[in-house]
Amino acid sequence: MTTSTTVTTQNQAKNNGTATKLPKNYGKIVLTLHNCLLPETTFKETPSQADGLDIETEIDLRVLGCEMIQTAGILLKLPQVAMATGQMYLQRFYYSKSFVRYPMETTAMGSIYLASKVEEKPCRIRDVINVFHHIKQVRAQKTISPLIVDLNYIELKNQVIKAERRILKELGFCVHVKHPHKLIVVYLQLLQYEKNKALMQMAWNYMNDALRTDVFMRFPPETIACACIFLTARKIGLPLPNNPHWFLLFKVTEEEIREICVRILQLYKRTKVNPEELESKVDSLRRVYQANRQMQVQKEREAKLEEKKSEPSTSTSTSKETKRETKNEKSPKTPPLSSKYHTSHKKRERRSRSPYERKREYSSKRHKSRSREREIDRSRERRSDDKRSRTSSRKYDDYERSKSSRDSREDKRKH
């Protein structure tokens, strides 16, 4: 993607009229269809070649990945546009990342899964994984068996999701793709050959095969459509207008058409690839890459340790006075309050409790509330008993007093 920066200057004068602010640079991203084409520098040395993978092996891996996406799309009953989009995502991704660091199969799964969403024909991840598992079994001529849902399946599913996110990140979330399929129909209508079904079908086939090459990364879709029509007309022997040339109407040069035709025809000269040999080559390079990475990490750790050792270590005295001072500094001046009215400020750690523990806690709380109610009732009863006893004692005292007064009166009378 191309970025263009716009510069805005802001001059703010204060009361003195001397202070000014520096100009600020703001970024601006421009997204167009021309950003889909890659510059020539990316084709000279790809990340896979930088990791030690030769050019032929890289081309074979690209072809194999595109074939797997095409076959999986047919089995998933996806439209041809979704398959073409997935193949273009795979091609673009491996011009910024390496086959050694990121496995081709999971990236192919992620690309077709993302393409099905973009082209509004979404499918499940489980279906994508099952289809790729079936393709591998058929290619290796093994007995077809269903994929077992276990920890390996869950791990593979997570890898596909990560691959989809990685593709989106590398594409800059610019997933729009302009396909030349419709352009072929439009151009043939202009040339008045829309009724020639053989010409249209063969041009369509050449275009689908061109997805396995780097043609879509180098040339715009209009040029590719003209090249497919040109190659099909040469194959069938159908004359096309040449005075002036028909492709000049679409602003396409003859050199570009011939270069695209050569790249498409070179695809048919390649021998059939053995996937197991390619996987063994990539695995050997991946082991070397991982070993080098571990060595680099170990060296970085050793360098950090040396830096720490080189720093002047602070000398600590071991005398009793210094120890006492450190203890006094660490120990608090006032002891912490441990009464029930002064709770600590530390937050209690929340832990997950089982339903049995919750029930037990609830029952204990309920039991405590009941015991409290019983204590309150008992205290009330005691108070009432005390009142009764007090009233009864007062009555008895009054009776005794009255009796004693009566007796004294009688005694006086007798006397």
Side-chain angles (χ1 to χ4, degrees), residues 234-276:
R234 286 292 183 92
K235 184 76 175 176
I236 296 174
L238 187 69
L240 292 173
N242 57 357
N243 192 15
H245 290 290
W246 62 275
F247 46 80
L248 296 176
L249 181 63
F250 309 114
K251 298 180 182 180
V252 180
T253 61
E254 189 176 358
E255 290 79 9
E256 291 177 345
I257 288 176
R258 290 187 180 277
E259 187 177 353
I260 293 170
C261 293
V262 168
R263 291 182 182 278
I264 293 172
L265 293 173
Q266 283 178 352
L267 181 67
Y268 301 118
K269 293 182 179 179
R270 300 190 68 84
T271 57
K272 195 173 181 180
V273 184
N274 189 2
E276 294 178 357

Side-chain angles (χ1 to χ4, degrees), residues 141-157:
Q141 296 180 355
K142 295 180 181 178
T143 55
I144 297 171
S145 60
L147 186 64
I148 301 170
V149 180
D150 55 356
L151 293 174
N152 295 326
Y153 169 78
I154 295 168
E155 186 179 357
L156 181 59
K157 183 178 178 181

Side-chain angles (χ1 to χ4, degrees), residues 19 40 42 72 86 93-94 116 139 151 158 177 186 191 196 199 219 231-232 248 252 259 296 320 373:
E40 288 294 329
T42 56
F93 177 78
Y94 281 114
S116 67
R139 185 170 287 168
L151 293 174
N158 294 330
V177 178
V186 174
L191 295 171
N196 194 339
L199 177 63
F219 302 99
L231 188 61
T232 307
L248 296 176
V252 180
E259 187 177 353
Q296 189 176 359
K320 292 182 179 180
E373 289 176 358

Side-chain angles (χ1 to χ4, degrees), residues 28 33 81 96 100 127 130 133 142 175 221 234 279 284 286 344 361 377 389 397 402:
K28 182 181 176 184
L33 290 174
V81 180
S96 59
V100 177
D127 296 337
N130 287 335
H133 179 68
K142 295 180 181 178
V175 294
R234 286 292 183 92
E279 288 179 2
S284 61
R286 189 176 292 127
S344 60
E361 187 177 356
D377 293 337
S389 62
D397 292 338
S402 64

Side-chain angles (χ1 to χ4, degrees), residues 5-23:
T5 58
T6 60
V7 181
T8 61
T9 58
Q10 296 177 353
N11 299 322
Q12 295 179 352
K14 293 185 179 180
N15 295 328
N16 298 332
T18 55
T20 57
K21 286 187 177 181
L22 295 173

Side-chain angles (χ1 to χ4, degrees), residues 365-376:
K365 287 181 180 178
R366 194 173 179 185
H367 179 70
K368 286 179 182 178
S369 63
R370 286 180 178 177
S371 61
R372 286 177 185 173
E373 289 176 358
R374 286 172 186 171
E375 288 178 0
I376 292 166

Side-chain angles (χ1 to χ4, degrees), residues 65-101:
C66 292
E67 286 178 356
M68 290 180 75
I69 290 172
Q70 185 73 23
T71 310
I74 293 168
L75 293 175
L76 290 168
K77 297 180 180 179
L78 294 175
Q80 180 60 37
V81 180
M83 300 181 223
T85 305
Q87 293 178 48
M88 290 185 72
Y89 289 165
L90 183 76
Q91 293 277 2
R92 286 187 197 175
F93 177 78
Y94 281 114
Y95 278 112
S96 59
K97 295 295 180 182
S98 173
F99 281 100
V100 177
R101 303 185 187 185

